[in-house]
Each structure stands twice: as C-alpha cells, then as structure tokens.
C-alpha cells in the first residue's frame, strides 16, 4: 500500500509513513479547530507532487476557502486554479447529495485512476440532506466507496456532540471511513489547547497518543514534539521462528507461524510475548 | 451440544470449549475494535475444518473485507473464494432485509443442515432498515431463527450507545441471540486498551471475567493470559448423592436430586453448598 | 387467598408462603438474568401438582424454550407436552395483541376456573405492538384482568431502562400487576452477581430484602440464605385488645380496634407500637 | 372553610384540621406506595360520617379495589355498596375523558351540593387519553373545577418521573389542584421506608415536614410520630396592635394593620418579627 | 421613567424604586410559590392608587382567585369588582390566544393610555396553545408589545424546568419581557424556604441578590431584611469630570465623557474606576 | 484586511485591532447579557465614522431598541434616523426569512460596496422560522454570505443551551460566521458577573482569555483590565532566516521557509520554537 505525504507537518510518522493511497479519511473538529486548514494543506501537498486536486466546498464557500488560503500565505493556490490542476466544486448539501446519487458513477468512470486528491469540506450538510439514519449511511457509504476509486479522499466533519463522538452523525462516517482523525478543540474552555488524535487507521500501525498542534501563518498545522520514526526491529518474529525450529510441534502450528511471520516487526506484537503466541496457537490447533 | 473452535486465539476455553453448533452469536464493538477481523477469523477457521463459509457483507464492502484479510496475511481466503467454499453476499441493509422477509425460507430449505458458518457484518444497517422497534425485533428474531438452521451464525453490531449497551438497537439483538461478546474499545480514550467480555452464552459455563486482547498482523485477535481449561471435579454432586443415601428424606426430594445430578460438576454449583440445596428442595417439596 | 408453590427454590417464604392463586406476577430482568428459566420452573411446578400449563412464547421461540428446558435436565416437559397438559401458544407480538383484543374473552369463557398456570415470555413485544402509552396500558390491563380468571399468571419483561425501572414500558406492567419481581443482573458489570427483589406483592407480607440467587443445571434458580418462615406471634394485637378493655374509650374507637384485630400478627404492625395506634385512632374519632 | 376528617390516621393535624370541604387533592406515588388504600380510607371515612361516596376506578379494576378493601378488613364497603351510598364508576381513560367532556356538566347539575366524597383512582389514564399538554390541562382543569361543586375530590396519580416530580404529567395536576400529597416510596431501594409530604395545600397552614407512614392490615395508612395540634398563640398580632397604638403612624399604615390582624395567630408570621412587618408597611405606604 | 409601587412589601427598593410604568414583568415559580398572590397584590396596589385593574385569569379560575383573595383578608377586591374598577377576563388558553390574534389591537385602541394594571395568571396555557416555538414567540411578543400600551403588565409563568430556567417555555418570555422575577420554591425539598431573585430589569439598577420571603395571611408576600434605599452618591462622575478638566485630552474623548455623565451616580459604575473608563475611551477614540 | 473599531470599549485590542471589514460576527448570550447594547454600540460607532447603519430588529421591537438607546444616553441615534443614515428594518422571523430568500440578492445588488454596518438582533426567530437543520444552515449561510457583500455584519443569538454552546441552534451560526463572541451571563447565579470570550475569529490573532465586563449607563459595555496592544517582535522569524542561511538544507525546505516568513511576528509561532519548525519542514520535504 503506497503512502502519501499528508501535508500536515509532523503527521506522516504518526500514520505509519503517511496516508494510504486510495483511502478515505475523516477529520472531525469543532468550530475553530482548523478543519479547512487541514483540508487545504492536504490538497496543496498533492499539487506540489503533481497530483490533481478536487476541492468540494459545501455551504457555497469557495471564495472564503481561497481567501483564507491566500491569507495563510498559500497564494500558489491561485496558480493551480488557473492551470486547472485544482478544481473547485461548489455546491449546497442537497445539490451534492443529488450529484452523489445521480452523477457520481459517471464522474468516477471518467476520473478513475487519476490519482487525484479529493477534499470535501464539510461533510455535515451532506449528512443533513436527509434525516433518516439509514439513508445517511447509504449515501456516505456509496460516496466514500466511489470517490476512493478516483484517488485519496479527505472529508471534514463538524463535531456536534456534547460530550464525546457518539452521536449518529459522527459515528456513521467513523465506521465507514478508513481513517479517523480528531482535532480536539473547544473555544469555550479556559485554555485554547489544540490536540490531534488518530482514532482509527486501517492497514496502518498508527500512533495511539494525543499530539498537541498549532496553526501558524505561512505554514498551517504543525504537530509538536514529533520525532522521525525509527526502523522497527524484528527480534520477536525471529524468536518465534527459533522456537518453531527447536521444539517438536504439531504440523498446523508450524505452518501457521511460518506463514504469518513474513514482514512482521516487533511493533506488530504490541504487548504480547512469543511464548504466549506459541501457546495460543498450540491450544487452538492441537486436536486438528 | 457440539462445540466448534471459534478461530479467535484464546477464546474457546472461555466459551466452555468453543461456540455451540447452530447457535447465534452477536459481537458488539465500536469503530476500530476489530469486529470484521473477528468475523473473518471465525469464517476462516471453519474453512480450515472443511465447513463452508457464507459472508454477508453489508455496506457493499466485499472488496474491502477481502483486501483487509489479505493485508492481515490471510490470502488463502482468495483460494476458498475461487473454490466456492466461501461465498460472499454483498447487499445494502434494505436489500438484505427484503431477502430475509422473502427469500430466506427457501434459502434455508436449500442449505439446511449444511453446517456452514455464516457471518453478517455489520448487522446495524439491517436494524436501521426500519425505525419501528417492533419491526426490528421481528426481523432480527426471524433471521436468527432461520439462519441457525443452516449452521453457526455470527453477527457484528456497531456500538452506538453513549455510556453502556442499553440502547434498543443493541439490546434487541442481545435478547434474541444465544451468545453476546463485547469487544471493549474506545479510540478517544487515552490508552487504547482492548478487552473482551462474554455478556451471555446460553448452554455454556462461560467466563465472567474481562480479558485484554491484541490484534496482531498474521494472526488476528489474540486474547492475553488465557490458560487451558482444567477438567472439572464432581465432588459436590457426589456429596449430595451421599446425603440422599444416608438421610431419611421424603420421596419427591430423593427423586428430584437423583434426576438432577447426572453430569453435573462442581462448576455448576457456583457458590452454593450441598446442604443449602438439600434444604431448599426439602422446603419446596415437604408437603407435596 | 390460596398460596401456590412458585417452583423457584427459596422464593415461597419470601412471598408469604407462595404466589397468590389467580394473581398476576411480572418478572423483570436484563438479558441473561434467567427470566425464561423462572417462567419454566413456575409452569413445571404446577404440572407436578396437577395444574395445567399454558406457555405463551413470543418471538416464535417455542423450540428454543423446550431445548433449554431439556438442557437444564427437565425433559419431563416433553411428556407433559405429549399428554397435552402443557400447551404452547407460539405467536408474534402483533398476533398475540390481536388475540387479546379479539379472542381472549371467548378463550377465557372456555378455560375459566381451570386453575391453570399461564406464562407469557416475554411480554415486551406485546407492549411494542403499539407505540401509544394509553393503548399499551389498555391492552396489558385487559389481558391481565382476563387471564387471571383462567388461573395464575406470570409475565416476563425485558429491562430496557438505563438506570432504574422508571421507563413507561416497565412502569405500566408494574402498576397493573399484583406482584413484581426484579431479577437484578447486568452482564457488563465486573462481577456477575445475580439478586432478586420483590418490588410489590398485593395481599402478602412479602420480603423487602435483596436475595442473591444462582442458576444451577438440574435445579434452575435457587435463592441463597433463605430460612423457612417462622409462625408469627400475635403479641401486639393482644396488647391492643388489653388496652381497649382496661381503659375508658369512646365507642367508635373500641369498635374500630375490635373489628380490625382479627387475624393480625406482629408482622402487620411493622415499626408501629400499640400506644401509637391507639392514640391515632382516638385522635381521628374523638369528636365523632 | 369547613374541615373534613381525611380518614388517614394522623394526617388531619398536618392539614390544619383536615381536608377543606369542596377542595381537590392529588395524591402522587409510585407502584406500591398505597395510593388506592389512601383513596379507599378517604371514601370510607366519609361514608361513616354520612357522606355519600363516588369511586371512579380507571383501568376497569372495580373488583380489585373491592377485594383489596375486604382483605384490608373493610368489608363494610360491601354494605355501603348494597345500600347505594357508595357508587362505583368503572371506566377506561377514554371513556372517562368523554364523560368529562360531554356528561359531566349534567352530572354535576344533578349531584351539586350533595357533599359527596369523590375518588378518582388513578388519574393517569385520563391524562394519557390525549398527548397534547394543552388538552390535558384543559381536561383536568375542567374536571377538577366541576367535580368540586359536587363535593370533596381526591385523585391519585402515578409517579412516572425519574428523579423528581417535574414531568408535565405530574406538574399539570399539581398546579391545578388545591392540595398535593406525595407518598414517597421506591420499591427498588434497599430500605422500603414510606414517607408522606404535603407539597401544597391552599387555604391551610399545612405541615412542611416529611412524615414516615406504615400500611397496617385492619387500619390502613397510619402516620408515625404525629402529636395532636396545640391551639395557636396570638402574641405577635397583639404586639403589632400595641405598636400601632403607641406610635405616631401614617393613616394608611394604621388602617392596613388593623384590617389584616383579625384572626391571625403566631403561626401565620412564620419567621417574621412584628417590627419587620411594621417597617415594610411604612415603607410601602409612606408617600401615599 | 415613572416608578409604580409594586404592592409586594419590600420589593420596590430592589427594583430601583418600583416597577417601570408601561413595562412588562414575568414572575416565574413552581406550584405553591405564590404567583397568584403576587399578581393579586400587584393589581390591588394599583386599585388603591386609583389605577384600574384588568385580571386575565386562565384555566377558568376567576372564582378561585377571588376566594383566595378574600381568605387572604383582601375582601375589598369585591368592592372594586362591583364598582367595575377591577375587570376579570376569564378564558382558556386557546380563547385568549385567539383574543390576542384577533381582538387585542381594537381592545388596545380603546384602552390605550388608561394606565391600568394588567395581570395574566398564568401565561402557561397561552404558551401551550401552540407547539411551535416560533409561533409561541410571535404570540407572546405581540401580546406584550400591545398590552404595555394600555398600562403596566405582569404575567405569571409556571416553572416546568427540571434544573434551571433554560427550557424554551421559560426562556421565550424571559427574553421578551422587560423584567423577570423568579420566586424560588420547591415543595419537595426538606426546608420550604422561599426566596425571590430579580433576573433582569430593563432601565433599572435592580438588586442582584437573593431575598427570602414569606406569605402571611392579611399581608401577602413580604420580603425579609430589606432596608430602604439610600440616595446614591455621585463621587465617581465628578472625579471623571475633574480628570477631563485637568488633563490634555483629544476632543472626541472630552465630548464623549461630558455627554455621558449627566445624571449618573456611583452605582452606575459598579466595579469600574474612573481611570479605567478614561483609558478605555482614549484608546477607542485616540486616532479618530 | 482593514480593521474597524467595534465601539465596545476595550474589545479592539482583543480582536487584533478591531473587526475585519466585510466579516460576519455572532454575539451569543442569555437574557440580560447585553446583546442589544452590543449591537447598538457597534452600529453607532460606524455612524460616528461616517458609515451607514442598517439595524434589522426582529420581534418587532424597533421602538424598544430606540428607547433603550435613549435611556443609555445615546439620543444621537434619533438624529441619525432622521438623517436616514441609520435605517431600521422591523420584521418578524418569517418575514425576514422570506426577505432573505426572495429579496436579499436585489437588496445586495443595490447596496453592494456601501460599506455599511448591519446588525441583526436577534437572529433566533430567523433560525426558528424553519425546524429543519438543513434549511436553517442553508438560510443562515446564504444570508451571511450575501450581507457581508454590503458591509460588516453583526448578529446576536440567544443562548438556549443548558450547559454549553453545543445545541444545533447555536452551533450552526458558530460554524458559518467569521467571528464568535460569547457574552457569559446567567441571571440565576449568585454573583451576576459578566464576562466576554472570543471563541473564534478568522484571520485574526484574537485573545484567548476571558474578560470581565460591565454595562454602564452613558457608555455601554466596557471591558475591564484591557491594556493597549504592544507592537509584536519578529525575533523568531529572523532566527529561522538565520538558520536557513547558515545550514546546508534541501532546496524545497529553503524555498518553503523564505516564502512563509514574510510579515510574521513572534505571536504567530505561539509555543513553537524555530528548531521545531525547521525539523518538521525537513521531515516533510526531505525526499521530495
């Protein structure tokens, strides 16, 4: 699975090298957390690497997104627009819902494999275009499945929950997307500390910690205290291989372990020890 | 009641030897808990033992489930698919609801007794295909009752509750299924510790403790700190038999105890002592 | 009022000798609490004493109830079924609701006075067959009133409340039935301790304590630490009679006390003392 | 305002001598609190004093109410019924709602001034006969206003609130009735202590304390620790009169105080002192 | 703005001298707090001063309001009624809502400037005559705007909120009226202490404290511990004037301060000091 | 981006110099917080600087707003009205909603670029004119987008939330506007302390602290303890420039930093240090 640079300073090592190509990511946050900044950095990083960009701006706020990008010091956005490397789709929630239902398949057929970056900011009005949870799930599921065939997809989502991320409007996209990033920020709190947490990332050994971040003019979102990732050791897999060689074990256990160990590193085993794994496999397959 | 190996490393001893054949199990968990991994391990374990597999993937995500299985190191899934030992049914919630109402009986008539393993992942869109609690209960009840005639059934269920598992969407399947397993995981919490708890398992002396688990590439879900089950002693039943022989007791009491003790072990008596049981039976039947 | 043995080991003394004949009891509990086991023990105890049994199984789960009874070691259930002493009515919630509205009066006319035991397991889908609280109350009230003319009635009720038993679905049957028994159990809690509490029992001096219980194969539900009931003393009533004789009291007070004391025991007076009662009666009737 | 003996042992002194004639009282309580016992004692007390009794039993439970009265030792109820001094109206919530809307005025015209006691047990299904808060208020308001022209009215009300008495179903009758009595009891709690509190009583110096009570066979509800009321002193009113005589005060102040003091006792002044009252009146009227 | 004596003993100093003429006041309280007593004192005080009184009694309870006034010792109410100085409008919520929509403008045209006192007791059924928040707001807004053209208006409002005054039914009238007074009382609490708090009063330096009160027969509501208001000093305004004279300041700052200081007292400045104000004004206007 | 003086004493330094021209601001607060005072100060400050003022008063309360302004000592408002520099639009919520949908575009076409100040007080009835969240968002989004083309816009919003600002009615305008100011005030609390917090302000280095404020007759809202803003140092940007010069760095890193540093000050970097930024950029672009 190819990794793409996210464009968010410090985020790539936390995502096991970057975003997975053709994956879908949801970025959740309250008002002021920096969701649009995140989406713009993501799109712009692709443009710098030669990928095309599709920015779906809901709430008819194309001009505002561009103005904010320019204020942030990213006026090259205007050049990409002129060169038609960056395309804006500016729609209301209902218009975009209708587009998904009626025109998305033919759009995908045309753009398929173009390897573009797609940002949808914010997904919320699309969710609100119907009140039925089943319809919401169906619509978002279809949209995510189709758009990822075009390229790598990022949606922002407003956080309307009072205490945690358990309202249906938040949970549905969380279940359906490959990667979920929470930008924690509450303007009402005494100290305006922003922090980022990766809640889920399929096919990645992602960070499970909380990382403070800042939004700095000229740069955008920067994560604090991030160190480059060190190459992982493979000591535990080799210990397991040793055990298999030096002990008399049933054939299904031996086959199982040998097949499983290819490419694993110590990180994959988290808190488990080689003896534990060996014992669990023997137990499961001893009478097979 | 025949016990089947679950395929989840370490789970069988907690379920009194494994899953009951032709039973229905619901696995509940939040986004990222590993529900699809659980379902895939369950199906694959059956395939290894010669059972056929039926994987009902909701949200039209057949490709994704297969891709994740391959990433996990389980590419033999592809062979089973080619050999038609593993069948995918890929449907939306409404399509599957209609299938249950209209075609399930004839499907069951055809497959009945085939002893397949059936996974439905996730059950949530089927629940959402109607808003009426009565209809939900009716639909899920009918589906569970029918599918268990085909084989052993496992459904995953998304956890949408804020605090505990008491929302109707969770409670209805819990009441209707034979076995309920809770994968506890909350991506928002500071420490990403996963743990498994068996909330209910009909016709089994199941574990009542909470067991931490990890998801390890190449292996899947592994429970930590599980020891093989020791054979149960039958000291208490034999004490009760002794009491019946050595005391003068009313006939209904003697009959009652003799009939009940066959095959019981000390585990069955939990915290009760033989004298307590004897006294309760005498009390209930003394004037009969 | 005749007392019937409940069949639950240890419960009768807590109910002042047993269940009242022709009364209605509601047993409330979460998934896994043992509601169906309770209902089966209740029905089977009647069969042993020559009473007929009517088991209304909702959710179309007749087979499952029988299977669980056999697994519990109660295979005599099959004989009673064959002899038509035990009758199963297997219906969906809507079918049973329609039965109540249209056919119950003629059913009652036929069975009236047969002194059968009737179990309805669970009542929940009947409640859910309508959403209107008024209709629910009307339906359940009519059903309880009619069925008790046939015999002694026990309904199980699923506990869908988050914190306590105050949701309308639970409260309506609690108000309308004669006896309410709460099986306390929550599979999610760390320690799976089960306990029973009688919340209400009309025309009975019932226990007000919480009693732990176990479910043991071969026996069913057994309450722990229950001692046989001692015969009640009548010291307080005789003291009150003494006071009436030895003091000069207004006629209405004397009449009132004499009429009230027949058959009372010390238990009836709970924490009240004879002088308090005398003083309250004098106060109420002094100027009559 | 004439005071009627309530029939509840110990309650009259807490209500400033008894219930006000032609007033309306609402008795609120959970299942098992003793609401029907309260209503029966109230009606029976009137019958003993020659007042007629009208018992409106909702939920079609006339027989049950009579049976419970007999079990309580109050079989004279049967005689009153035969003599037609006690009348039962047995209706469903909707039937009684229709009666209120269509026939109550002519019923009142016939019975007006008969000085009967009227019990409505429980009021809840009447409330539930419509879902609209406005209609509920209109219906209950009209019913209370009309029935009090016939005599003294008591309604019982089920407590469906989770924490306190603030749900609309409870609050509407509380606002509309003259007197509100809360029977506090929760069967789920560890200790089954019952207690009574008068939340409101128009035109009465009622108790503001909480009073434990018991339900005793042969007697019914008995309040504990109630002492007969002592005659109130009128020291504060006479001090105020003194002040008016001995000081030079503006005429409106003098008139105001003289007019207000008739029949007042020290209880009326609660925590206020005569100087405070004098100063407040001077302040309000000094420039008049 | 002319100040009117409220008739509530001790309230006028807390309202900066009394109620503002032609203002609207909402009095909020639970059952038993004394809302009707408050409204009657308000109306009766006006009658004593020669103002006409219009009492709109909802829930058709005209007779009850008059009876309670007489019991309170205020039988002069009957004379005012006979003399047609006090007028009762007795209506249901819907009738009064229709009156507001259709007849209020012509009513106002007729009575405009009559300087009457108007009490509406309680406003709640008028709110409930529609369920739509927008309609409620529209109706109450129009009613308050129109009636204040006739005179000084007081509405009572039932408190249906569980914890605080944040339910829409309470908040809408709070936003729309000039003055909001909260009568704090909860009959369920252990100690029946009543207290009054002014939540808002436009164009008044009102009290911000909580004041205990009692309801005393013969007098009505009396606030405790209220001292007559002392005349306010104007030391801070004069200090500010001094500063303006003795320093070299930009012209807009000088003008601003001179215009603003007329009639201000030290109370107006609350916790602010003259230097702070001067500095803020300089800052705002320095580059103007 | 041009900065406008807000008219609120002490607010401008907290907003990085003032309000952004052609931005939209939402001011949220409970009853009594001073929302209308804030809006009036904002409009009046523009009038003093020669900007035209458009005051949209909902709830048909034009007269009241003017009366309060005059009472506050701002009678120059009357002159501006006469001179038609200040225009009042007095409408109900539905009327204004219809105006937005049908006439706003032509209104904007006429007034576009007039650089007026526009106040909408309160926005709440406009939100309530529809119940559908999608429609609310669509309406408010369109309105804010259009009106900012005319000038600088300020809307007040009533705070109907119980605990925090997370109800949809509050959150929708918060997401859609450029600047959100919370006036914290709760009349029910013991101490009436008012405080202001800027929750969000696009394109501004705004204050993140909580600032107490007072409302003083003659002046309006004054923030306490505000010091004039000191000019920001640019030490960190120059350090970063130094690093770029003195180290051997990849070309994309050099370009990135040089482009980004123009016009930045130390405030922009918040808690980040130059080395951190350099390291993050190298990491992101090292293999580009």
């Amino acid at each position: 699975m190819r990794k793409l640079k996210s464009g968010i300073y410090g985020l790539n090592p936390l995502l096991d090298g970057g975003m997975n190509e053709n994956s879908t990511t949801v970025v959740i946050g309250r008002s002021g957390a920096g969701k649009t900044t995140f989406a713009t950095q993501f799109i712009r990083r692709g443009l710098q690497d030669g990928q095309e960009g599709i920015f779906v701006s809901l709430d008819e706020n194309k001009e505002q997104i561009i103005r904010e990008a320019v204020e942030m010091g990213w006026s090259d956005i205007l050049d990409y627009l002129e060169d038609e490397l960056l395309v804006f789709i500016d729609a209301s929630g209902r218009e975009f819902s209708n587009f998904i239902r009626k025109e998305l398949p033919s759009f995908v057929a045309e753009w398929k494999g173009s390897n573009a970056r797609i940002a949808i900011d914010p997904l919320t009005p699309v969710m609100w275009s119907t009140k039925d949870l089943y319809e919401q799930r169906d619509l978002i599921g279809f949209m995510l499945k189709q758009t990822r065939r075009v390229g790598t997809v990022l949606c922002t989502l407003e956080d309307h929950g009072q205490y945690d991320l358990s309202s249906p409007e938040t949970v549905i996209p969380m279940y359906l997307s490959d990667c979920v990033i929470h930008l924690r920020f509450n303007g009402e709190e005494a100290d305006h500390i922003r922090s980022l947490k990766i809640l889920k990332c399929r096919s990645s050994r992602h960070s499970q910690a909380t990382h403070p971040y800042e939004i700095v003019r000229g740069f955008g979102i920067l994560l604090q205290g991030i160190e480059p990732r060190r190459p992982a050791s493979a000591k535990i897999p080799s210990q397991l291989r040793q055990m298999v060689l030096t002990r008399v074990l049933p054939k299904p256990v031996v086959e199982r372990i040998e097949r499983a160990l290819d490419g694993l590193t110590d990180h994959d085993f988290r808190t488990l020890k080689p003896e534990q794994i060996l014992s669990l496999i023997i137990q499961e397959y001893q009478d097979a």
Side-chain angles (χ1 to χ4, degrees), chain A residues 8 11 14 38 181-184 194-198 207 209-213 221 223:
Chain A
I8 313 311
L11 181 61
L14 309 183
F38 193 114
I181 294 172
H182 191 195
L183 301 183
R184 293 173 171 183
R194 288 169 166 94
S195 66
L196 176 152
K197 190 164 200 297
I198 301 164
S207 160
T210 300
H211 304 276
Y213 68 94
I221 294 173
L223 289 158

Side-chain angles (χ1 to χ4, degrees), chain A residues 9 37 41 72-74 213-222:
Chain A
Y9 294 105
T37 304
Q41 274 180 278
M72 190 55 96
W74 301 335
Y213 68 94
E214 296 284 6
I215 304 176
V216 175
R217 209 140 51 106
F219 300 96
I221 294 173
L222 296 111

